[in-house]
């Protein structure tokens, strides 16, 4: 029997500092998020970050928390419920960090008799700290607790025509009758070393502006290339001229070099150049969350207005849009109809 496990990032159980601290510990202690030796990672995370950051992060979550709970969890549950209407196989939901866990999701599918699992990481682009950590943990859990299961996953869908169509349509609808001077595609940042570590050729990724444009097997796992390619395809689909859009990377942590340009500095720079109205979209996320609702919609707006900007339009993530629901459902139904080898 076949079944599907949707996996998103996750969220603290509440906005209380103790719950945020527990969540951050699980998240930041992941060796694919902070990819340092365990002792050094523990010193940085448990010795420094978890003694300073939870209270500030809890305050940020309080600003965006919904009555029903975490926006990311609520939106993910709505997506799951809607997909369930268009498919005939069990659809379970899990989070990489926090609850419900991937183990819980697999157990739910097992109880329903599922032996063939389609794992869908809800990330359009592949990255060590997102898709890879989900796939690695799922396989570890399968070997330890669900040996009778066979798990397959969908590849990164950053350039899939169906996804590009839905993303472009969501942007088009939101910007209708909203004049803007510049559209910024803001993606979640990662350390530059993650890009080099994910380079299967061990030589292609130079992060120099040219490697992402030069065809290479490295692109299958290159987050930077995939972000720029998503942007290129959407801009082409919408007919946006090159001088009217750009790419940036948000949410950096620590002092190591992260992918550039940085979103906060880009927003500030646009305002300083005299841009009065801008729009911003966050295609690294399919569900609105802390990084989109607080970091971009609140902090980004404040930065823009401080340097003279006037209109700051944040385009929602795909969330539980009907066309996105139907797209995911179609991918699932195609997988269900395909005989397993």
């Amino acid at each position: 029997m076949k079944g599907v496990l949707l996996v998103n990032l996750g969220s603290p159980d509440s906005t209380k500092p103790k719950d945020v601290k527990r969540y951050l510990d699980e998240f930041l202690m992941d060796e694919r998020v902070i990819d340092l030796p365990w002792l050094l990672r523990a010193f940085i995370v448990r010795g420094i970050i978890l003694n300073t950051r939870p209270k500030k992060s809890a305050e940020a979550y309080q600003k965006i928390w919904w009555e029903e709970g975490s926006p990311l969890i609520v939106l993910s549950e709505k997506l799951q419920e809607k997909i369930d209407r268009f498919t005939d196989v069990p659809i379970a939901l899990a989070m990489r960090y926090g609850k419900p866990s991937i183990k819980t999701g697999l157990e739910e599918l097992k109880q329903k008799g599922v032996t063939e699992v389609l794992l869908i990481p809800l990330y359009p682009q592949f990255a060590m700290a997102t898709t890879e950590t989900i796939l690695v943990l799922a396989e570890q859990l399968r070997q330890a607790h669900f040996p009778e299961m066979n798990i397959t996953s969908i590849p990164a869908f950053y350039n899939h025509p169906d996804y590009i169509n839905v993303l472009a349509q969501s942007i088009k609808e939101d910007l209708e009758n909203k004049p803007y001077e510049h559209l910024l595609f803001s993606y979640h940042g990662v350390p530059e070393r993650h890009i080099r570590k994910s380079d299967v050729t061990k030589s292609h990724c130079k992060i120099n502006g040219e490697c992402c444009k030069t065809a290479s097997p490295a692109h299958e796992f290159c987050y930077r290339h995939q972000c720029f390619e998503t942007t290129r395809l959407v801009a082409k689909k919408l007919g946006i001229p090159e001088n009217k859009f750009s790419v940036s990377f948000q949410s950096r942590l620590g002092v190591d070099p992260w992918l550039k340009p940085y979103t906060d500095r880009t927003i500030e720079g646009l305002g300083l150049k005299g841009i009065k109205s801008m729009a911003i979209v966050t295609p690294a996320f399919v569900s609105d969350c802390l990084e989109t609702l607080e970091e971009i919609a609140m902090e980004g707006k404040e930065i823009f207005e401080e340097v003279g900007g006037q209109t700051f339009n944040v385009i929602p993530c795909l969330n539980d849009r009907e066309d996105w629901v139907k797209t995911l459902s179609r991918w699932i139904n195609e997988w269900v109809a395909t005989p397993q080898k």
Side-chain angles (χ1 to χ4, degrees), residues 26 95-96 102-103 106 132-142:
E26 182 183 4
M95 300 292 147
R96 175 57 183 87
I102 293 178
K103 184 180 179 182
L106 291 173
E132 185 176 310
T133 187
I134 287 174
L135 299 180
V136 169
L137 177 59
E139 177 57 20
Q140 290 172 347
L141 290 169
R142 187 197 69 77

Side-chain angles (χ1 to χ4, degrees), residues 225-238:
H225 162 77
Q226 294 182 9
C227 291
F228 279 102
E229 188 65 5
T230 296
T231 302
R232 185 187 72 80
L233 291 169
V234 170
K236 181 180 179 182
K237 183 84 177 175
L238 295 175

Side-chain angles (χ1 to χ4, degrees), residues 2 4 83 86-89 91 118 120 152 154-155 157 160-163 325-340:
K2 294 184 175 182
V4 175
I83 289 174
F86 292 97
T87 56
D88 294 323
V89 295
I91 309 292
L118 177 63
I120 304 183
T152 57
I154 66 169
F157 48 87
H160 195 295
D162 292 348
Y163 166 69
V325 170
K326 289 181 178 178
T327 292
L328 280 174
S329 300
R330 183 166 62 255
W331 293 350
I332 291 168
N333 288 330
E334 287 172 356
W335 172 77
V336 171
T338 302
Q340 297 302 297

Side-chain angles (χ1 to χ4, degrees), residues 20-21 27 34 55 98 108 132 135 139 166 202 208 213-214 216 235 277 279 302 313 329:
V20 174
K21 183 175 182 178
F27 176 40
I34 296 183
K55 184 179 178 182
E108 178 185 331
E132 185 176 310
L135 299 180
E139 177 57 20
V166 172
K202 303 304 179 186
N208 59 6
K213 300 175 184 177
T214 307
S216 170
S277 63
E302 185 177 336
N313 180 39
S329 300

Side-chain angles (χ1 to χ4, degrees), residues 71 78 130 136 153 178 180 205 217-218 243 245 313 322 326-327:
K78 287 182 178 180
T130 56
V136 169
S153 63
K178 295 178 186 175
Y180 67 97
C205 295
N243 63 351
F245 72 90
N313 180 39
E322 206 66 21
K326 289 181 178 178
T327 292

Side-chain angles (χ1 to χ4, degrees), residues 103-165:
K103 184 180 179 182
T104 299
L106 291 173
E107 184 63 40
E108 178 185 331
L109 292 174
K110 178 184 177 180
Q111 293 301 320
K112 294 178 179 179
V114 171
T115 55
E116 298 282 343
V117 178
L118 177 63
L119 186 67
I120 304 183
L122 292 172
Y123 302 106
Q125 300 84 20
F126 178 94
M128 254 177 65
T130 56
T131 311
E132 185 176 310
T133 187
I134 287 174
L135 299 180
V136 169
L137 177 59
E139 177 57 20
Q140 290 172 347
L141 290 169
R142 187 197 69 77
Q143 292 182 15
H145 305 284
F146 310 99
E148 73 285 355
M149 279 186 167
N150 180 43
I151 300 177
T152 57
S153 63
I154 66 169
F157 48 87
Y158 68 98
N159 62 349
H160 195 295
D162 292 348
Y163 166 69
I164 296 299
N165 286 341

